Amino acid sequence: MGFGVSKDVIEEIRSRCDIVDLIGSFVPLKRSGTNTYKGLCPFHQEKTPSFHVDASRQMYHCFGCGKGGDVFRFYMDKENVGFSDALHMLASRVGVVIPENSGENSDPAEGRRRADARERLYRVNEDFCCFFERTLLGNPDSPPTQYLIKRGIPRDVAEKFRIGAAPDAWTACLEYGLSLGYTEEELVTSGIVRRKEETGRLFDHFKGRLTFAITNEQGRVVGFSARSLEAKPPAGKYINTPESPVFKKGNLLYALPLARKMMVEKNMAILCEGQLDTIAFHRAGFECAVAPQGTGFTEGQARILKRYANRIFLAFDADSAGQKAILRAVELLLPLSMEIKVIRIPGGKDPDELFRNGGPDAVAAAVDDAIPWLDVLVASLPERYDMDSPAGRGRAAGEVAGYLLKITSQVELELYIRKAATALQISEEAFWSELRRIQAGARRSDFSAVPTETAVPAPKPEKFASAPGLSAALLTLLELAISSEEAAKRLSELCSPEELGSEDTVGRALNAVIDAAQNGVHANAASLLGEMLIESPDPAVSRVLVEHREFADPEKALADSVAQLRRARSRESRAELLVRLRGTVDPAEKMAILKQISELR
């Protein structure tokens, strides 16, 4: 769960991040008892507060929507990020430096050294981001400033997206970085300065260029994309920060921290080709737009988008390179079961030009008119195949089938096959055959979604509903075990771990609390359950953690719940035995099962 981060570091972040302060920064909370706070749930619309925060156990639970857990679970749900990102975001919030490779078997000193080096790189990038912003602002007649004016980007937008300009000098950044106390090697590693291989001479990487700050998912500046304002720049129109310990191009999306909120709210993301197109969509009201770094969209970036939205709109250029980029992105997005549409800009313009000429309404109309990705693929087929010949149409069907092989959902696959067959004017049966032919040729063992004429679905194991009273008994025992170390130890004597169960979160939580009591760390039981809820959210467990139910006679409640648990387990076992009895024809096995049923009675 810690992704290489030691438990000590995780616990330090948790201890520094008070849950009341954290959640109170998102929604107003009012005290509702000694250690309890209430407020309107930040995860669903409600008029009466049903969201409870327990300060003593550092847990929250909404009695309306059921969300609950600790500070990490809250940040994961609120920011719609994974545990690793939540960990780093909260670490930054409370001032904890996470050592690199800080697992149990790593060298702490080496991990701290790497962490300090990474932190220095973050500081280099932040300092130069401010330096570039000041350079842009302080030179109103410079080419970068005039370029922004020409593109219609006002000052407030430039400030929001942290656009700047590098001085038009070969060593201005080098000298400024050294004056701040950074070493030459730090400036080279960050990409602010480059070293000429032949002579070893140091020079500014972004000399005279317009700079766009690139931030990671936590909102920290990790590098820059810089645009040349020369007619034919020798190093290319755009250059980026080279790969570094903090700048991993394939895992970064431009403007993601600014786009994340609307992505979740609208369940949509717009993927553009570059920074200016992204900014244009934001200015038009579509603040869910992002762009990959460089020309290639990666699987890592696709998975990042999937965390925030299930609908993605591709807004690439209409030229051949843009069309190829669309289809490459489609290949990466299809396995993630995302709804993919393509935004076509009228007249072959790019989104930035469309916004400047037509304003927000023109951009909104282009988004509304977006078409499914399959339509784009089918429309491009005549450029590569003779659709009037059987062989050409067959090869075209093979190309489409190659994309559909990426789909993992059976329902989606069948619907796409229906559409593709209609578009290609062939039968669905013929298309299924083509899919199987390609699948067999590629020897793909994982394409189980394609059915065959004789395929018979594998029988699914029968699931049993929980026996009456089982859940109630387990929850009462969990409440008792959390509130009392003595009760937890007593329960370990009365019930085996198997009897308490490991098939659901409540059973695992109960066994975890008992283990904590036996190992002398019962005081950490709530934190242990918070860790469980990070990986396996369960409303029943988070509710127990904030409810603090009082028992008039805890000993009697414990005995009654154990008895109820055993009766429920007996009924559960009997139901399973009856199913086995109905499914066997072996007389000896039947007699053995009947004997077991009799013993249960």
Side-chain angles (χ1 to χ4, degrees), residues 85 214-218 222 243-254 256 291-293 296-305 307:
D85 289 316
I214 308 301
T215 58
N216 62 13
E217 215 164 341
Q218 292 84 45
V222 294
E243 294 283 304
S244 78
V246 299
F247 187 88
K248 306 294 184 185
K249 185 169 64 174
N251 293 326
L252 295 168
L253 287 164
Y254 180 68
L256 179 59
Q293 284 309 113
F297 180 61
T298 68
E299 183 179 353
Q301 292 164 337
R303 293 191 179 280
I304 290 172
L305 291 176
R307 291 209 302 266

Side-chain angles (χ1 to χ4, degrees), residues 150-203:
K150 177 183 175 183
R151 300 300 290 255
I153 297 178
R155 177 175 170 177
D156 62 324
V157 173
E159 290 176 352
K160 177 181 178 181
F161 287 89
R162 307 202 70 177
I163 301 174
D168 193 10
W170 285 112
T171 59
C173 291
L174 172 62
E175 292 167 7
Y176 179 68
L178 293 175
S179 74
L180 294 179
Y182 297 115
T183 67
E184 291 183 353
E185 199 57 41
E186 285 174 329
L187 295 173
V188 170
T189 302
S190 70
I192 296 294
V193 169
R194 302 298 299 270
R195 179 178 279 113
K196 197 172 182 62
E197 291 184 10
E198 297 83 358
T199 63
R201 183 177 65 85
L202 299 175
F203 61 94

Side-chain angles (χ1 to χ4, degrees), residues 5-269:
V5 179
S6 71
K7 290 183 178 179
D8 289 342
V9 174
I10 295 173
E11 196 53 45
E12 183 182 0
I13 297 170
R14 180 185 280 111
S15 65
R16 288 198 192 184
C17 190
D18 180 75
I19 197 166
V20 176
D21 291 340
L22 174 65
I23 297 178
S25 67
F26 289 91
V27 293
L29 296 174
K30 291 185 178 181
R31 186 182 289 274
S32 179
T34 306
N35 292 303
T36 305
Y37 294 78
K38 292 174 66 175
L40 295 174
C41 179
F43 302 115
H44 78 283
Q45 296 293 323
E46 62 178 7
K47 295 182 179 179
T48 304
S50 61
F51 188 83
H52 291 227
V53 181
D54 187 289
S56 61
R57 290 178 175 168
Q58 291 290 293
M59 297 288 166
Y60 72 93
H61 176 79
C62 176
F63 289 82
C65 67
K67 287 188 178 292
D70 64 358
V71 288
F72 296 115
R73 183 73 252 175
F74 178 83
Y75 223 73
M76 289 166 69
D77 287 340
K78 186 59 185 170
E79 297 294 335
N80 201 32
V81 297
F83 174 72
S84 180
D85 289 316
L87 187 73
H88 284 81
M89 288 176 178
L90 289 176
S92 177
R93 180 186 179 101
V94 298
V96 174
V97 177
I98 298 178
E100 275 205 7
N101 302 322
S102 61
E104 300 294 337
N105 299 320
S106 62
D107 179 1
E110 177 62 17
R112 176 61 62 179
R113 186 193 68 77
R114 292 188 180 187
D116 290 343
R118 284 173 62 90
E119 193 62 30
R120 292 275 292 179
L121 288 178
Y122 284 126
R123 287 171 54 188
V124 169
N125 283 295
E126 178 60 34
D127 285 341
F128 272 93
C129 183
C130 295
F131 179 59
F132 294 153
E133 288 174 308
R134 291 195 301 270
T135 302
L136 179 70
L137 184 63
N139 295 277
D141 297 326
S142 67
T145 305
Q146 292 302 309
Y147 177 79
L148 288 184
I149 294 173
K150 177 183 175 183
R151 300 300 290 255
I153 297 178
R155 177 175 170 177
D156 62 324
V157 173
E159 290 176 352
K160 177 181 178 181
F161 287 89
R162 307 202 70 177
I163 301 174
D168 193 10
W170 285 112
T171 59
C173 291
L174 172 62
E175 292 167 7
Y176 179 68
L178 293 175
S179 74
L180 294 179
Y182 297 115
T183 67
E184 291 183 353
E185 199 57 41
E186 285 174 329
L187 295 173
V188 170
T189 302
S190 70
I192 296 294
V193 169
R194 302 298 299 270
R195 179 178 279 113
K196 197 172 182 62
E197 291 184 10
E198 297 83 358
T199 63
R201 183 177 65 85
L202 299 175
F203 61 94
D204 291 359
H205 184 38
F206 302 121
K207 172 186 176 294
R209 290 174 176 257
L210 188 71
T211 62
F212 297 87
I214 308 301
T215 58
N216 62 13
E217 215 164 341
Q218 292 84 45
R220 304 192 75 176
V221 181
V222 294
F224 301 90
S225 180
R227 190 191 194 285
S228 175
L229 302 176
E230 299 177 34
K232 294 182 178 180
K237 184 187 293 186
Y238 280 93
I239 58 174
N240 292 318
T241 293
E243 294 283 304
S244 78
V246 299
F247 187 88
K248 306 294 184 185
K249 185 169 64 174
N251 293 326
L252 295 168
L253 287 164
Y254 180 68
L256 179 59
L258 297 174
R260 193 163 51 204
K261 182 179 179 182
M262 180 175 279
M263 281 184 186
V264 176
E265 291 177 353
K266 302 294 186 182
N267 188 28
M268 69 177 288

